[in-house]
Amino acid sequence: MLHIILFGPPGAGKGTQAEFLQREYDLVHLSTGDIFRYNIKNNTELGVKAKAFMDQGKLVPDELTIALLESEVKKNPAARGFIFDGFPRTAAQAEALDSFLHARGQEIKALLSLEVPEDELKQRLAERAKTSGRADDADPAIIQNRIQVYRNETEPVKAHYQDKGKLIGIDGVGSISDITKRLFDAVNRIK
Ligand code: ADP
């Protein structure tokens, strides 16, 4: 089993790169953001709950997110491994993921952290807003809020995996294919 966390601030390129990793290593890509947006589109109970937080650039509460993640992992019993994209986003989610996997005799192999400076993130999100139709991309104040939430609540997840010797930093600036290559090189070293 090859379980990888693809980590980084909003706009770091996780979704784009996760697709390449998924294909290269035959993994299941699990994006909590995509799952929430799918539920919002289909107006499910989960979607209605999540939307209220997402539109403001806040995190969806841990309880809801952890339960969702566990049910998605269980839906894929034949997976050769997962790319976790957008999860874990809090220290509590990281603890929950570790114990959930541990109970199944599995573990996170590495956290690949895409490093991108803040100015570049803001530019990318403003650019994405033109086509994404995402309410949380459209407003600079909400983008700022998401970056702040990332610094306060999500960055500690990095330290959590660093303590376990599983943090790998990846330069997230450059062409899409350059960054893909950096990620593949990192995965090939740990696989
Ligand atoms: P990005 O990383 O580009 O901001 P995502 O698509 O990963 O976007 O997430 C969009 C929104 O979905 C987040 O701002 C948050 O409200 C919600 N969300 C996604 N994943 C989580 C999570 N693990 N915990 C809490 N909220 C989440």
Side-chain angles (χ1 to χ4, degrees):
M1 287 290 220
L2 183 61
H3 297 315
I4 293 170
I5 298 170
L6 191 57
F7 192 81
K14 301 185 292 289
T16 305
Q17 296 296 342
E19 293 301 319
F20 295 116
L21 286 166
Q22 166 184 40
R23 256 180 272 145
E24 181 76 8
Y25 299 101
D26 193 17
L27 305 173
V28 173
H29 173 202
L30 254 178
S31 159
T32 40
D34 286 352
I35 299 166
F36 286 137
R37 280 186 288 275
Y38 176 84
N39 278 274
I40 291 172
K41 209 170 93 194
N42 291 287
N43 217 13
T44 67
E45 199 184 327
L46 173 71
V48 171
K49 283 187 191 155
K51 187 176 189 318
F53 298 95
M54 290 172 71
D55 282 355
Q56 296 177 59
K58 293 183 181 161
L59 293 184
V60 178
D62 280 342
E63 261 175 56
L64 214 63
T65 309
I66 292 166
L68 167 81
L69 194 278
E70 294 186 358
S71 92
E72 291 293 324
V73 170
K74 287 179 188 158
K75 273 187 204 164
N76 289 281
R80 301 178 57 160
F82 290 92
I83 302 170
F84 297 101
D85 161 8
F87 186 97
R89 236 180 172 96
T90 62
Q93 290 180 14
E95 298 283 353
L97 179 62
D98 289 351
S99 32
F100 175 71
L101 291 178
H102 185 75
R104 303 163 80 85
Q106 299 166 23
E107 62 171 6
I108 292 295
K109 193 85 181 181
L111 178 147
L112 304 176
S113 176
L114 290 169
E115 310 293 348
V116 180
E118 197 160 313
D119 299 357
E120 167 113 8
L121 294 175
K122 286 181 185 158
Q123 270 175 30
R124 289 187 190 178
L125 291 169
E127 196 54 39
R128 184 168 83 184
K130 294 178 189 162
T131 53
S132 71
R134 282 175 54 169
D136 60 346
D137 283 345
D139 180 344
I142 292 173
I143 290 180
Q144 187 59 46
N145 199 24
R146 285 160 60 202
I147 294 176
Q148 205 52 47
V149 167
Y150 173 78
R151 301 274 177 239
N152 296 341
E153 298 185 53
T154 304
E155 240 175 1
V157 170
K158 232 158 79 167
H160 175 96
Y161 289 100
Q162 185 168 30
D163 290 347
K164 298 174 189 283
K166 292 180 175 172
L167 170 66
I168 302 176
I170 304 282
D171 178 3
V173 181
S175 71
I176 290 178
S177 62
D178 284 348
I179 298 163
T180 307
K181 181 167 184 315
R182 289 172 202 152
L183 288 164
F184 285 4
D185 286 347
V187 174
N188 291 338
R189 281 197 300 272
I190 54 153
K191 189 160 79 91

